[in-house]
């Protein structure tokens, strides 16, 4: 707990507990209507980007996709995406020991929910292309040694 107020307690006051269980059931977590199509769109789009590696290959993917891009540190990529109006998370995502174990310095994580549109998926892909143009010609062995760590 980060010490923030208890939103869930306030938001769910008066809601039938059976409804809460249905909404929060393990088969529904991270899965909203339309999520599957958006996640497939973004996964296909990301897989087509040269130098981009998806992290994790679950049988069923919820509305979250993590990735690294050769030669661009996740924090640098996150900053460029932000400048293009695309909100993502970049970093260890509370999994630093696991990331160290697999030699991943940081990842970018994009999340999609009911409120996101397919245009926002396309905006993410365009913003990644813009980041590659900014860091132009970065090949494995280039900036950051191709390991995604960037800079000096």
């Amino acid at each position: 707990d980060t010490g923030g107020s208890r939103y869930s307690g306030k938001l769910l006051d008066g809601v039938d507990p059976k409804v809460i269980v249905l909404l929060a059931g393990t088969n529904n977590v991270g899965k909203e209507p339309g999520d599957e199509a958006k996640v497939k769109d973004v996964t296909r789009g990301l897989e087509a980007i040269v130098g981009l590696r998806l992290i994790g290959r679950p049988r069923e993917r919820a509305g979250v996709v993590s990735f690294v891009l050769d030669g661009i540190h996740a924090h640098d990529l996150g900053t460029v995406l932000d400048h293009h109006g695309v909100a993502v998370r970049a970093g260890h995502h509370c999994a630093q020991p696991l990331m160290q174990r697999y030699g991943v310095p940081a990842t970018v994580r994009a999340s999609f929910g009911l409120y996101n549109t397919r245009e926002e998926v396309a905006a993410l892909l365009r913003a990644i292309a813009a980041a590659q143009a900014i860091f132009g010609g970065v090949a494995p062995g280039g900036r950051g040694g191709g390991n995604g760590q960037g800079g000096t």
Side-chain angles (χ1 to χ4, degrees), residues 47-66:
E47 287 173 335
I49 297 173
V50 174
L52 189 141
R53 179 169 52 109
L54 290 172
I55 303 298
R57 296 287 183 175
R59 276 181 277 186
E60 289 186 44
R61 189 179 291 275
V64 178
V65 183
S66 294

Side-chain angles (χ1 to χ4, degrees), residues 28-52:
N28 296 321
V29 174
K31 294 181 180 180
E32 297 288 343
D35 274 1
E36 192 172 319
K38 283 179 276 193
V39 172
K40 283 182 181 180
D41 287 349
V42 77
T43 301
R44 270 191 234 114
L46 292 172
E47 287 173 335
I49 297 173
V50 174
L52 189 141

Side-chain angles (χ1 to χ4, degrees), residues 53 68-72 103-105 140-150:
R53 179 169 52 109
V68 294
L69 191 57
D70 283 346
I72 306 176
V104 177
R143 182 176 182 267
N147 63 5
Q149 291 189 3

Side-chain angles (χ1 to χ4, degrees), residues 6 27 36 41 43 52 67 72 84 96 106 115 123:
R6 293 195 57 233
N27 290 335
E36 192 172 319
D41 287 349
T43 301
L52 189 141
F67 57 91
I72 306 176
H84 284 82
Q96 188 172 10
Y115 46 83

Side-chain angles (χ1 to χ4, degrees), residues 76-128:
D76 294 333
L77 181 55
T79 299
V80 173
L81 298 180
D82 179 52
H83 285 290
H84 284 82
V86 177
V88 295
R89 296 283 186 183
H92 297 122
H93 317 293
C94 298
Q96 188 172 10
L98 180 66
M99 293 176 101
Q100 284 178 333
R101 163 71 175 84
Y102 289 105
V104 177
T107 68
V108 173
R109 184 182 70 210
S111 303
F112 296 90
L114 180 63
Y115 46 83
N116 293 110
T117 66
R118 284 189 157 162
E119 172 52 33
E120 289 171 316
V121 170
L124 169 66
L125 300 175
R126 286 191 305 269
I128 291 170

Side-chain angles (χ1 to χ4, degrees), residues 127-139:
I128 291 170
Q132 287 181 309
I134 289 168
F135 289 91
V138 178

